[in-house]
Amino acid sequence: MNLRKSATVLNGFIHDFAAGYWLAAIVAIAFLERMHRQNPTVTELLNRIERFFFWQSVGAMVLILATGAGRTFTYVDNWYGEDAEKMRRRMLIVKHVILFAVFGTGYWFAYGMTFH
């Protein structure tokens, strides 16, 4: 296998891992927020952990965007035939519009929970 193909596969793995990490960090922030509302005596400590996960999620988002941009230039062949590739590209556009809305909503909630 040549270096370009290996880099393409590695880029995809990093992209998918960062997306999963981002989601896990947002869920952790929500979980910690619920915990410190139930037990105000640990609020200061849990706020610090929430901020840690928030900034980790920002780092994950940077990786997602960078590796996603990399995918734009590596997945350009018509693997499935011309018609299927047109449909795949349209579906990718729809998927990314939905994901940008999810990321934006996630950060809107996470920011409010983290920096209240």
Side-chain angles (χ1 to χ4, degrees):
M1 183 177 286
N2 69 30
L3 185 59
R4 181 181 166 104
K5 287 183 181 181
S6 296
T8 298
V9 171
L10 180 61
N11 183 71
F13 287 163
I14 293 170
H15 183 79
D16 294 342
F17 180 81
Y21 189 92
W22 178 87
L23 181 59
I26 298 300
V27 169
I29 291 168
F31 179 74
L32 291 166
E33 178 70 16
R34 187 174 344 127
M35 286 178 62
H36 86 69
R37 285 179 191 243
Q38 293 172 353
N39 190 355
T41 60
V42 295
T43 296
E44 185 179 334
L45 175 63
L46 293 181
N47 280 342
R48 290 177 63 198
I49 298 170
E50 284 177 11
R51 287 185 190 100
F52 170 81
F53 279 117
F54 181 83
W55 293 114
Q56 290 284 309
S57 77
V58 170
M61 178 58 67
V62 168
L63 274 176
I64 292 165
L65 293 173
T67 55
R71 280 181 153 185
T72 300
F73 300 108
T74 56
Y75 293 102
V76 294
D77 295 329
N78 287 324
W79 289 98
Y80 305 109
E82 192 173 324
D83 291 337
E85 281 298 314
K86 285 180 184 177
M87 176 62 79
R88 184 182 74 84
R89 288 184 181 136
R90 276 189 243 126
M91 292 174 76
L92 280 171
I93 290 168
V94 170
K95 177 187 92 166
H96 284 92
V97 167
I98 292 168
L99 287 176
F100 275 115
V102 168
F103 283 133
T105 304
Y107 273 121
W108 185 66
F109 282 112
Y111 185 86
M113 287 185 280
T114 303
F115 300 102
H116 48 84

